[in-house]
Amino acid sequence: MKLQIVGATALATVLAACSGATGNSSAATQNVQESAAPAVAPVLTTPDAKDVHSYANPAEARVTHVSLDLAADFDAHVMRGTATLDLKTAKDAQQVVLDTRDLTIASVTDAQGHPLPYKVGQSEPNHGAPLTITLDGNKQVKITYQTSPDAPALQWLSPAQTAGKKYPYLFSQGEAILNRSWIPTQDSPGIRQTWDASITVPRPLTAVMSAEMLTPEGEEASGDRHTFRFRMDKPVAPYLIALAVGNLKFEATGPRTGIWTEPEMLDKSVKEFAELPKFVDAAESLYGPYRWGRYDVLVLPPSFPFGGMENPRLTFATPTVIAGDRSLVSLIAHELAHSWSGNLVTNATWNDFWLNEGFTVYFENRIMEKLYGKRRAAMEADLGWSGMMEAVKAAGGPNSPDTQLHLNMTKDRDPDDGMTDIAYEKGAAFLRTIEKTVGRDRFDKYLRGYFDRHAFQPQTTAGFLADIRKNLLTDAEAKEINLDQWAYKPGIPANAVHVKSDAFPAMDMAAKEFAEGGLVASVPDDVTTQERVRFLNQLPRDLSHERLKALDDRFHFSESGNSEIRFAWLMLALGVHYQPAVPSAEAFLTSQGRRKFVAPLFQTLWDQGDWGKAIARRIYAKARPGYHSVTSGTVDKILNWKTAQN
Ligand code: BES
Ligand code: ZN
């Protein structure tokens, strides 16, 4: 394996430069010398690997290593400092082009501090602006900059938005193309980079990142601030660089797993995720060694806009999965599975997003089957199938190009648009269909080899199809599956494997009987979360208020602390103007900001004419300041919200 000399040298330089301030950098420097970082994989050059969502010019000059030295200013809501980039350049390279968004650049220099000419180009929606630096033969550039208070990758929370209510909080969210708003680099998933960071924060806050922490307690900077140092010596896609700062505590759940969160959330979180070690063991037994060292989970404040984010070594998770009974832990299986599908083998462009998410949903379900059995796994897969069917409808039907696995996004299309159950569930159905054709043993062996062959590399849809043709399928099998139809054509192929839960027919029956006037007492009581969700989703969308009242009186869905049940109930109730559910909706929408829940609820209200529109506007005015830009961006569009309205 080739040493990534440039990156390692730069890192050693940075650490050496810090040694005066810290006094203990020799251990860290030693680590650098000992660690042989995997060579940074070449950027793919086939036309299908061209990333229209980045300004980068990797064929001329590409970033191989990012070194951040940033301080968090919680008063101004900005990050300030430097990013030093190591480059690999072509012989005649003139310039490097980076992605930036709303950054204020103070200077660009070479390694010795000599200014380099640079230009910030025209800013475009979602993409931000290219930063073009004239290289003058340099292989390292240093950018001094600060972020905008509105940087979409960063959410600055007031103490009131945290569990402890005493300290502010900051977290980043990089995927898909947000990291350019706090890190000036080539923000393209096919351009892998090693990285390190020094993050200075006010005491007593703690910084954590998706990397190895080199200084667990933080080091002195000046009296009221301290600095945390991190290192990722494996090349990762830049959307996977992540940071959180807050009053954070850690508790181990095993030798290589643990939970980071605010102290007020720690016990609950540790209880919910006590089985982390088993998750990692199960994943490894399926597809080979976990290659990232530790696997920890950070439980964020409720405004985190996603269920989870697979930041390497440190999954970011919403507190809304803490149901108290571990019923929603498949989310952890999902984010962990990304340690292979997504983080090891990474979608080369956002058109190949299904390679990240479809593989991961498949893998997640295999972990769930191993740990919780076939019954639970089948229920979750079957709910996924329904989600896929809904996504086909939402896309405008089975002929819509948005129902293709491989997308053909133009640059004006936000990669976020691809985050639908097509990528997730049609992707998983594709893999289940292959599994059924070749048998589980053969498929598992193949996948294990696939992750090894492509570890730390980008992958395109065509690359995957070529690999599976070469290493797994006979011509007859490839034909039977119809790989190209699956990957490139809209709709759900007729051979799609639909995993059916044998627990669901009883729920469907119960829903039907209850809707037709049956007694609420005959609705099953002691069922799993997944069955309950199925039951709620099967109820007709025009139930009478009397029927809804009977249900809520009996099951108290309006007060459910299980976010998935609460959401399924509110979707049903708001869809028929059931006023008694409005306070519950208001409480739910103002106490968490997970887009998957928030956006459909506002959409449902919005679709209800004057009644719902008024409620939506009232609740949104109250909730919006607490939402992350990812969530408010989506809801603004639904409600046609003009920021001036605030
Ligand atoms: N990687 C995604 C989150 C993501 C995708 C963020 C695209 C930004 C752009 C993560 O792994 C994910 O899929 N999260 C899901 C939960 C999962 C259990 C399906 C979510 O947040 O709902
Ligand atoms: Zn995912």
Side-chain angles (χ1 to χ4, degrees):
M1 191 171 285
K2 209 178 105 217
L3 258 168
Q4 181 42 49
I5 310 237
V6 182
T9 311
L11 175 55
T13 313
V14 169
L15 290 168
C18 298
S19 65
T22 66
N24 76 345
S25 74
S26 63
T29 311
Q30 190 126 26
N31 274 339
V32 172
Q33 283 158 357
E34 280 165 11
S35 80
V40 177
V43 174
L44 300 173
T45 52
T46 50
D48 62 321
K50 162 98 187 122
D51 179 7
V52 297
H53 294 108
S54 167
Y55 294 106
N57 60 336
E60 184 176 3
R62 68 164 287 193
V63 176
T64 56
H65 183 85
V66 180
S67 182
L68 300 173
D69 186 351
L70 296 171
D73 180 338
F74 279 86
D75 297 320
H77 290 183
V78 303
M79 300 285 291
R80 256 185 228 104
T82 60
T84 305
L85 310 179
D86 292 346
L87 308 173
K88 192 167 176 217
T89 53
K91 250 218 213 92
D92 52 352
Q94 301 296 311
Q95 52 188 34
V96 62
V97 185
L98 309 175
D99 294 295
T100 71
R101 186 166 169 187
D102 305 336
L103 300 181
T104 304
I105 313 267
S107 70
V108 179
T109 70
D110 65 12
Q112 284 73 44
H114 302 125
L116 291 173
Y118 70 92
K119 194 182 104 208
V120 180
Q122 185 70 38
S123 184
E124 290 182 65
N126 304 321
H127 289 238
L131 167 59
T132 304
I133 302 171
T134 302
L135 288 174
D136 288 340
N138 285 290
K139 289 190 190 315
Q140 200 179 66
V141 296
K142 182 173 180 177
I143 301 147
T144 304
Y145 69 102
Q146 71 175 48
T147 62
S148 154
D150 301 316
L154 302 178
Q155 192 180 14
W156 301 84
L157 301 177
S158 66
Q161 290 174 280
T162 66
K165 314 279 178 216
K166 240 180 104 179
Y167 299 101
Y169 199 107
L170 162 69
F171 68 88
S172 75
Q173 164 62 38
E175 196 178 15
I177 56 170
L178 303 180
N179 262 352
R180 59 191 65 178
S181 69
W182 74 287
I183 306 173
T185 188
Q186 293 180 321
D187 189 13
S188 176
I191 309 180
R192 304 183 82 94
Q193 299 152 37
T194 54
W195 61 274
D196 65 85
S198 290
I199 304 290
T200 300
V201 303
R203 289 177 191 286
L205 303 186
T206 293
V208 294
M209 292 191 87
S210 52
E212 183 187 348
M213 193 193 275
L214 300 176
T215 51
E217 289 95 39
E219 295 168 359
E220 286 293 335
S222 65
D224 54 353
R225 303 192 310 168
H226 55 171
T227 300
F228 293 80
R229 291 176 212 284
F230 304 90
R231 176 184 62 179
M232 171 50 74
D233 60 9
K234 301 178 172 52
V236 295
Y239 71 85
L240 293 171
I241 304 176
L243 167 71
V245 181
N247 180 28
L248 300 175
K249 294 286 173 283
F250 175 79
E251 189 172 322
T253 55
R256 58 172 168 170
T257 61
I259 305 292
W260 282 100
T261 192
E262 291 182 73
E264 295 77 9
M265 294 296 292
L266 195 54
D267 281 356
K268 273 194 254 186
S269 305
V270 167
K271 275 206 194 92
E272 201 78 6
F273 304 136
E275 291 164 310
L276 278 187
K278 284 206 243 167
F279 278 64
V280 184
D281 292 347
E284 286 188 313
S285 76
L286 284 165
Y287 301 125
Y290 177 76
R291 304 203 195 205
W292 304 90
R294 297 196 55 82
Y295 181 72
D296 295 324
V297 174
L298 171 71
V299 178
L300 285 118
S303 71
F304 188 61
F306 294 108
M309 179 61 214
E310 65 271 27
N311 297 315
R313 294 173 61 101
L314 184 63
T315 281
F316 283 25
T318 167
T320 65
V321 289
I322 300 180
D325 58 3
R326 301 185 185 169
S327 59
L328 305 178
V329 292
S330 63
L331 180 124
I332 299 297
H334 179 96
E335 305 311 336
L336 170 65
H338 273 305
S339 305
W340 287 259
S341 43
N343 297 359
L344 268 191
V345 186
T346 309
N347 53 207
T349 77
W350 298 112
N351 286 330
D352 305 299
F353 182 58
W354 80 272
L355 289 179
N356 276 17
E357 298 300 341
F359 273 64
T360 297
V361 171
Y362 173 83
F363 190 171
E364 163 201 342
N365 201 245
R366 295 292 306 277
I367 295 172
M368 291 305 289
E369 182 182 318
K370 245 189 188 325
L371 293 179
Y372 295 89
K374 275 196 186 314
R375 187 182 141 90
R376 166 89 170 257
M379 290 193 282
E380 295 187 343
D382 207 352
L383 288 176
W385 178 272
S386 304
M388 174 181 76
M389 289 312 193
E390 290 297 319
V392 172
K393 257 198 243 159
N399 296 319
S400 161
D402 287 351
T403 64
Q404 289 171 204
L405 285 180
H406 179 266
L407 299 172
N408 293 305
M409 284 186 278
T410 49
K411 80 189 286 274
D412 49 290
R413 192 107 194 246
D414 190 339
D416 223 53
D417 292 356
M419 200 195 171
T420 71
D421 268 341
I422 298 301
Y424 286 77
E425 297 294 342
K426 183 181 172 184
F430 182 19
L431 297 200
R432 290 187 185 117
T433 305
I434 301 171
E435 180 203 305
K436 185 173 165 222
T437 308
V438 303
R440 192 170 263 198
D441 284 355
R442 268 177 72 204
F443 191 46
D444 281 352
K445 280 201 195 80
Y446 166 74
L447 279 180
R448 170 146 193 184
Y450 174 79
F451 291 128
D452 283 342
R453 273 194 298 286
H454 301 281
F456 301 106
Q457 290 171 46
Q459 179 66 291
T460 62
T461 299
F464 163 62
L465 295 186
D467 186 278
I468 199 167
R469 284 196 171 100
K470 176 159 177 240
N471 295 296
L472 177 65
L473 302 175
T474 64
D475 289 348
E477 286 164 343
K479 209 168 150 207
E480 182 187 335
I481 297 165
N482 204 345
L483 297 175
D484 287 330
Q485 182 193 357
W486 269 101
Y488 299 114
K489 295 272 155 56
I492 307 304
N495 65 357
V497 169
H498 174 182
V499 176
K500 291 198 177 107
S501 159
D502 54 22
F504 283 177
M507 293 303 111
D508 300 357
M509 188 65 85
K512 188 162 181 286
E513 285 177 5
F514 178 74
E516 286 166 359
L519 290 175
V520 68
S522 64
V523 175
D525 196 345
D526 187 21
V527 298
T528 62
T529 295
Q530 288 69 31
E531 286 162 292
R532 186 58 85 212
V533 168
R534 172 71 175 209
F535 168 78
L536 285 166
N537 288 347
Q538 285 299 121
L539 287 169
R541 301 292 102 173
D542 58 357
L543 270 193
S544 70
H545 289 189
E546 166 272 322
R547 293 272 80 190
L548 289 174
K549 180 172 185 329
L551 262 191
D552 205 19
D553 285 349
R554 171 72 188 77
F555 295 107
H556 309 289
F557 292 138
S558 286
E559 284 112 66
S560 178
N562 185 304
S563 57
E564 295 285 349
I565 292 174
R566 178 87 161 254
F567 171 72
W569 159 252
L570 292 173
M571 288 293 283
L572 177 72
L574 298 179
V576 292
H577 303 205
Y578 184 59
Q579 188 71 38
V582 171
S584 170
E586 180 166 350
F588 191 57
L589 289 167
T590 52
S591 62
Q592 55 78 36
R594 186 173 170 189
R595 181 172 66 177
K596 177 185 121 163
F597 296 143
V598 168
L601 286 169
F602 276 112
Q603 183 74 60
T604 300
L605 281 169
W606 199 249
D607 293 342
Q608 305 310 311
D610 292 346
W611 175 83
K613 285 197 166 77
I615 297 168
R617 280 198 202 97
R618 181 176 61 76
I619 297 179
Y620 193 48
K622 195 168 145 194
R624 191 179 184 278
Y627 288 162
H628 186 278
S629 68
V630 158
T631 299
S632 59
T634 302
V635 181
D636 282 356
K637 280 186 215 146
I638 296 170
L639 270 58
N640 200 4
W641 195 266
K642 305 278 183 295
T643 324
Q645 261 173 283
N646 281 315

